[in-house]
Amino acid sequence: IQISLAAFLLFIVLENVIGTITGPSLIFYIESVGGSNEDYGLTTSSVCLGMTLMMFYFGKWVDSNGNKYQAPLRFAFILGIIGSIIYFVASILPTGFWGVNAILVGRFVQGMGTAGKTLTKSWIATAIPFDQQKTVFAVLSMIGIVGQAIGPLMNVLVAEIDMEIPITSSYSISLNPYNSVGLLVAFNEVLIWVIIALFLQDPPPKKEKSLSSATGEDEPATEAGMYDILNAMMHFDIFFPL
């Protein structure tokens, strides 16, 4: 468990550092490929849309595979790698429609991967004893702030990137402070993927519990479906709990 927590600490630091690099440069990257403020708004929203669409499926994945987190988390980082590469490729495509929409798609796929990374909280709720969870969450939040503090320093270094990557004798790709972010994020995702694959330990499988009736006989537990979840969300008591 301690090794897994250490892996999560490093993961949170790296994610927060990279997050503070991506945000400030996004608007300038979109403008460099011919985008507008409206395109920036859509691209920012696409991350949240990707998270919203995938979060339920990642949770369902863990519930259905015996409380194992390795495969869902690895898949989440693979999505992050794919999205980051698309994000970078946008600078190679023609400006305008293709470049702008490549950034949008890249950020959308990154958002899908981010949805899976929220499983870290579920892992803690499952693997850490209840009386220790508040301390663990507090430490993780503190570490996240440290990552956000390091981010601006990284921005200073990223701002100095200006080079050409030769592909053939007559063609090269320009690497600048905007498109280089995609490669940095992709490298970060690969690094965290390796850390999770090597050091994350799955918590023990969940034990099925039965509900006891008034007569003392066991009754089979029922599983909530999508209709039950939506119905509970619209219930009056969820907004005004007694």
Side-chain angles (χ1 to χ4, degrees):
I1 297 299
Q2 288 80 3
I3 294 178
S4 298
L5 284 176
F8 279 147
L9 289 175
L10 185 56
F11 152 61
I12 289 174
V13 170
L14 293 174
E15 281 291 296
N16 279 275
V17 169
I18 291 298
T20 54
I21 293 176
T22 305
S25 65
L26 179 58
I27 178 63
F28 303 109
Y29 189 24
I30 291 175
E31 290 177 346
S32 70
V33 297
S36 61
N37 290 337
E38 288 77 11
D39 297 317
Y40 170 71
L42 288 172
T43 302
T44 304
S45 301
S46 70
V47 179
C48 299
L49 178 60
M51 290 180 61
T52 302
L53 293 177
M54 288 298 293
M55 199 169 291
F56 169 81
Y57 293 99
F58 277 109
K60 188 68 174 177
W61 189 349
V62 172
D63 287 338
S64 63
N65 74 349
N67 204 36
K68 297 185 181 300
Y69 288 79
Q70 274 278 359
L73 281 173
R74 289 190 198 184
F75 182 68
F77 288 110
I78 289 174
L79 287 175
I81 294 169
I82 294 173
S84 301
I85 293 174
I86 296 174
Y87 185 89
F88 168 75
V89 169
S91 62
I92 305 174
L93 299 175
T95 58
F97 176 85
W98 292 105
V100 170
N101 284 284
I103 295 177
L104 188 148
V105 172
R107 292 294 288 163
F108 175 77
V109 177
Q110 286 178 331
M112 294 170 66
T114 302
K117 298 170 188 177
T118 59
L119 292 176
T120 54
K121 298 180 177 63
S122 174
W123 183 94
I124 292 171
T126 305
I128 304 299
F130 180 76
D131 58 345
Q132 301 176 19
Q133 290 179 13
K134 292 183 178 66
T135 301
V136 172
F137 280 120
V139 172
L140 293 179
S141 298
M142 178 184 67
I143 292 298
I145 295 174
V146 171
Q148 293 175 7
I150 298 174
L153 300 177
M154 292 295 296
N155 275 317
V156 174
L157 300 177
V158 172
E160 300 299 321
I161 296 177
D162 185 14
M163 58 185 297
E164 297 287 331
I165 303 178
I167 304 300
T168 65
S169 58
S170 59
Y171 178 74
S172 61
I173 298 176
S174 297
L175 203 60
N176 56 54
Y178 308 140
N179 63 359
S180 61
V181 170
L183 295 181
L184 289 173
V185 175
F187 175 78
N188 180 72
E189 300 287 276
V190 171
L191 178 60
I192 300 177
W193 188 95
V194 173
I195 292 172
I196 293 297
L198 293 178
F199 301 111
L200 178 66
Q201 300 175 357
D202 286 318
K206 291 181 180 179
K207 295 181 179 180
E208 296 294 336
K209 296 181 179 180
S210 59
L211 301 176
S212 298
S213 63
T215 60
E217 298 178 354
D218 288 341
E219 296 179 355
T222 57
E223 182 179 356
M226 178 59 73
Y227 173 79
D228 300 305
I229 296 173
L230 294 176
N231 185 51
M233 291 175 61
M234 299 303 296
H235 200 279
F236 182 82
D237 289 345
I238 200 170
F239 300 105
F240 298 95
L242 298 179

